[in-house]
Amino acid sequence: MPTISQRGREMPASPIRKLVPLANEAVARGVKVYRLNIGQPDIPTPEVGLDAMRNLDRSILEYSPSEGLLSLRRKLKTYYERFHINVDVDDIIITTGGSEAVLFAFMATLDPGDEIIVPEPAYANYMAFAISAGAKIVTVPSTIEEGFALPPVEKFEELITPRTKGILICNPNNPTGYLYTQREMNLLRDIVKRHDLFLYSDEVYREYCYTGAPYISAFHLDGIEEQVVLIDSVSKRYSECGIRVGALITKHKELKQNVLKFCQARLSPPLLGQLVAEASIDTPQEYMLMTYNEYVERRKFLIDGINRIPGCYSPIPMGAFYTVVSLPVDDADKFCRWCLSEFDYEGRTVFMAPASGFYTTPGMGRNQVRMAYVLKKEDLADALLVLEKALEAYPGRTL
């Protein structure tokens, strides 16, 4: 038998999706599954985006330019200006989702064996993209006790080697919901400036910041403009996960040229998705405010409910629509599988993402899960009740 690659063996299964077969089996048994595992909003896509799809008037669905439609990039430039992010149209490269933006950023900046420092827990696919590039993710742990604040700058300094090429953050953060402060962003700026590193900044959740503190983009930091690689996506802000449109933004000229080569190799980003995304930039502010307020209410409802369950704890997430929760269980991976395969309460169960998959440090996150508050409050109320009943019945309960 031919052998598969070592890269394939090392590629981690997604903690967000690896339990999907068990969820499907539960549904087949007639069990209602509350899906808190994945950031798939239940809020309808804006009508302007849907109308662009419904009213498409083209005789040929052609390739788009490899860097994306010029009209979309022009509109994105005006969108970023609303957040005081000043970039040129040529600094914006359209990608097939934010995921491809991360992958192409890694492929264009990292050689095999190069290292990126990432605070953990971190979005699990970062590890997968690093493996695809032959690079190594080096993590610096943040803790639930400190609300997943940025680890001390000394911890970053200790990890920097001649192979270190950059630091990667997600702000607001997936999976923790943490929002980096101005002080923390300034510390990151100083590190990347001092060591001549890239700062990869995934900012797809910028619309969802719930504190009085402002959202600080990596492009707001003085003196490192050409070291910033910003990752973006329309998936979350317009509830358009399926159109697969993201962006990589950088002022680094050679990096742009190298990224474009990878874009040319995959030909073009999705034409239909770009047309929908372009129209969606004109989404009325009323929609954006409604969505924001809905997530504010869901956040409070879920966090209050979690922290009322004996043995459970979640810090208050300050952005995005995720939180990491500690549970009174021996092993969250086992508990999540058990909920889907062996448990239901009055025909209902919960689907959560085990947090161990968001860490690379062995043993971390063992009693934690990531939850996405992307369901309406009535469903969240049912999910919390089912979770409490599951914890009462679980054989590996530790409280």
Side-chain angles (χ1 to χ4, degrees):
M1 286 285 289
T3 59
I4 63 170
S5 69
Q6 185 62 31
R7 181 185 294 110
R9 293 190 184 97
E10 293 176 357
M11 185 72 75
S14 168
I16 304 164
R17 291 176 177 262
K18 68 181 181 181
L19 300 182
V20 166
L22 295 181
N24 291 342
E25 290 172 8
V27 171
R29 295 193 305 271
V31 176
K32 180 174 178 59
V33 177
Y34 292 105
R35 298 175 186 267
L36 304 176
N37 64 304
I38 193 167
Q40 171 57 63
D42 66 353
I43 293 172
T45 299
E47 281 298 316
V48 289
L50 295 174
D51 285 344
M53 180 178 62
R54 296 183 186 114
N55 301 323
L56 185 66
D57 184 17
R58 286 178 177 243
S59 57
I60 299 175
L61 299 176
E62 74 279 11
Y63 287 125
S64 74
S66 294
E67 66 272 26
L69 295 172
L70 178 59
S71 55
L72 171 57
R73 292 186 291 124
R74 283 173 171 163
K75 288 189 75 172
L76 278 173
K77 171 180 165 56
T78 64
Y79 162 80
Y80 293 128
E81 287 171 354
R82 302 174 199 167
F83 296 89
H84 308 289
I85 297 172
N86 298 312
V87 294
D88 295 330
V89 170
D90 289 341
D91 297 334
I92 303 169
I93 297 175
I94 304 303
T95 57
T96 307
S99 295
E100 188 180 73
V102 178
L103 177 61
F104 283 0
F106 287 180
M107 297 294 285
T109 59
L110 304 172
D111 288 318
D114 283 345
E115 300 174 351
I116 315 162
I117 300 174
V118 184
E120 67 175 342
Y123 178 54
N125 283 340
Y126 295 153
M127 292 69 149
F129 301 143
I131 290 171
S132 300
K136 181 181 179 182
I137 293 283
V138 179
T139 54
V140 53
S142 62
T143 66
I144 195 169
E145 292 80 12
E146 295 181 356
F148 299 108
L150 189 76
V153 65
E154 296 79 16
K155 298 295 184 182
F156 287 86
E157 295 279 3
E158 290 170 4
L159 296 174
I160 293 175
T161 74
R163 300 309 304 259
T164 306
K165 294 295 291 289
I167 295 173
L168 169 63
I169 60 169
C170 182
N171 186 37
N173 189 270
N174 174 11
T176 67
Y178 188 75
L179 180 67
Y180 291 108
T181 66
Q182 179 74 69
R183 176 181 174 276
E184 290 170 326
M185 293 296 287
N186 287 344
L187 288 170
L188 289 170
R189 175 201 61 198
D190 294 344
I191 296 171
V192 301
K193 192 172 184 179
R194 184 160 54 246
H195 295 279
D196 195 24
L197 305 174
F198 285 108
L199 178 57
Y200 310 92
S201 189
D202 182 342
E203 302 180 9
V204 305
Y205 298 98
R206 70 176 61 82
E207 268 80 10
Y208 307 120
C209 301
Y210 309 122
T211 71
Y215 145 74
I216 308 299
S217 171
F219 271 122
H220 295 157
L221 305 175
D222 293 332
I224 61 167
E225 290 82 2
E226 293 196 2
Q227 294 166 252
V228 170
V229 184
L230 191 148
I231 308 300
D232 198 16
S233 169
V234 303
S235 292
K236 310 302 182 178
R237 62 177 171 262
Y238 304 129
S239 196
E240 291 176 345
C241 299
I243 69 171
R244 309 311 304 137
V245 172
L248 184 156
I249 303 98
T250 181
K251 292 181 175 293
H252 191 297
K253 290 183 180 179
E254 186 178 7
L255 174 55
K256 282 188 286 189
Q257 293 168 356
N258 284 349
V259 169
L260 186 56
K261 295 174 189 176
F262 290 98
C263 292
Q264 291 169 345
R266 63 87 162 100
L267 301 182
S268 68
L271 173 65
L272 297 182
Q274 290 181 85
L275 296 174
V276 174
E278 182 179 331
S280 298
I281 296 173
D282 294 328
T283 295
Q285 189 57 33
E286 293 80 5
Y287 172 97
M288 304 305 296
L289 184 60
M290 176 275 295
T291 303
Y292 176 87
N293 289 336
E294 179 65 21
Y295 283 129
V296 169
E297 292 185 18
R298 293 179 183 187
R299 178 187 69 140
K300 177 174 171 45
F301 187 87
L302 181 68
I303 303 307
D304 287 351
I306 287 169
N307 289 329
R308 281 196 294 266
I309 299 174
C312 295
Y313 172 68
S314 170
I316 300 174
M318 295 177 283
F321 38 64
Y322 307 99
T323 191
V324 172
V325 182
S326 63
L327 302 176
V329 298
D330 58 348
D331 186 314
D333 283 84
K334 291 180 181 177
F335 176 67
C336 290
R337 289 196 297 270
W338 177 85
C339 284
L340 293 170
S341 60
E342 300 182 43
F343 171 82
D344 72 83
Y345 174 70
E346 297 181 351
R348 297 167 291 172
T349 194
V350 288
F351 185 0
M352 300 167 291
S356 61
F358 298 91
Y359 292 88
T360 62
T361 302
M364 291 197 71
R366 186 173 180 183
N367 72 327
Q368 297 173 358
V369 296
R370 187 197 74 167
M371 295 185 188
Y373 43 97
V374 292
L375 304 180
K376 59 186 179 181
K377 284 184 290 184
E378 294 83 355
D379 288 341
L380 290 177
D382 282 350
L384 286 167
L385 173 62
V386 172
L387 174 61
E388 185 169 12
K389 297 297 183 181
L391 289 168
E392 291 173 358
Y394 179 57
R397 183 181 174 88
T398 58
L399 181 67

